[in-house]
Amino acid sequence: TATTQAFESAIAELEGGHAAIVFPSGLAACTHAILAVARSGDHVLMSDSVYGPTRQFAQRVLRRLGIEVEFFDPLVGGAIRQLLRATTRLVYLESPGSLTFEVQDVAAIAAEAHRRGAFVILDNTWATPLFFRPFEHGVDISIQAATKYIVGHSDALLGVATANRRAWDLLRDG
Ligand SMILES: *Cc1c(COP(=O)(O)O)cnc(C)c1O
């Protein structure tokens, strides 16, 4: 709808990305973005402090699809270099991370991920684009659980994912 498109372009502008897609929940935005990037046989690095249902999705669904998931210390920074493999397709971040709230060195992690050709997804729900501009730090896809701050707080379920130009076709085509 026109309202949907207006919301998507407002979020894309706030996040500083190329374009955005709205989803019926924050978790739907997370799972869609991951599945848009990762394929069977890929290796995915996910920070250890991600939102619980995202972690469960990775452990149950991604593993069943033949995607290997490895969790890493959110404070790893540039040392993520040692965890990246030839098959690493995606590094998934959440900063600050749910519950423990570590703030990650997104730029250092993204630089190493890009050096190996991997994509970087950030769940930017906690910081919001007002306090963290994801695309200025090398993120390819940024997610908002709009259910939280954007909607007000759990008055309605809503999610949105914003991509840069590199990741937009993948995100849009799912
Ligand atoms: C709540 C939350 C989600 C999921 O959002 P829903 O709209 O409830 O599905 C995802 N990520 C983070 C960080 C959250 O806090």
Side-chain angles (χ1 to χ4, degrees):
T1 66
T3 310
T4 310
Q5 287 163 358
F7 177 72
E8 288 170 339
S9 52
I11 293 290
E13 188 182 334
L14 276 172
E15 294 262 33
H18 172 61
I21 311 181
V22 70
F23 294 90
S25 73
L27 189 59
C30 298
T31 59
H32 175 98
I34 294 169
L35 290 174
V37 170
R39 302 277 179 277
S40 180
D42 286 343
H43 173 242
V44 171
L45 286 167
M46 184 171 271
S47 86
D48 210 14
S49 58
V50 290
Y51 177 69
T54 304
R55 186 186 183 92
Q56 282 170 25
F57 172 79
Q59 285 175 319
R60 294 177 191 167
V61 182
L62 293 185
R63 282 189 178 154
R64 203 164 67 216
L65 295 175
I67 296 166
E68 191 183 342
V69 182
E70 186 180 344
F71 293 94
F72 64 87
D73 178 348
L75 297 178
V76 71
I80 197 151
R81 189 181 318 115
Q82 289 146 21
L83 302 177
L84 287 158
R85 305 180 193 169
T87 53
T88 308
R89 170 83 167 159
L90 169 65
V91 180
Y92 186 97
L93 309 174
E94 187 183 303
S95 175
S98 290
L99 305 183
T100 45
F101 263 63
E102 289 94 342
V103 173
Q104 303 186 357
D105 190 342
V106 175
I109 294 172
E112 293 297 336
H114 289 160
R115 202 162 289 148
R116 301 295 292 262
F119 285 86
V120 177
I121 296 179
L122 170 73
D123 184 333
N124 199 27
T125 299
W126 287 111
T128 84
L130 298 185
F131 295 104
F132 190 76
R133 306 271 300 158
F135 298 100
E136 293 170 14
H137 299 266
V139 168
D140 297 299
I141 298 176
S142 177
I143 293 164
Q144 293 288 319
T147 306
K148 308 293 170 51
Y149 298 131
I150 291 171
V151 160
H153 208 106
S154 295
D155 304 316
L157 282 166
L158 200 68
V160 60
T162 306
N164 60 11
R165 283 181 192 279
R166 176 184 182 224
W168 172 242
D169 286 351
L170 284 173
L171 182 70
R172 184 196 50 210
D173 298 343

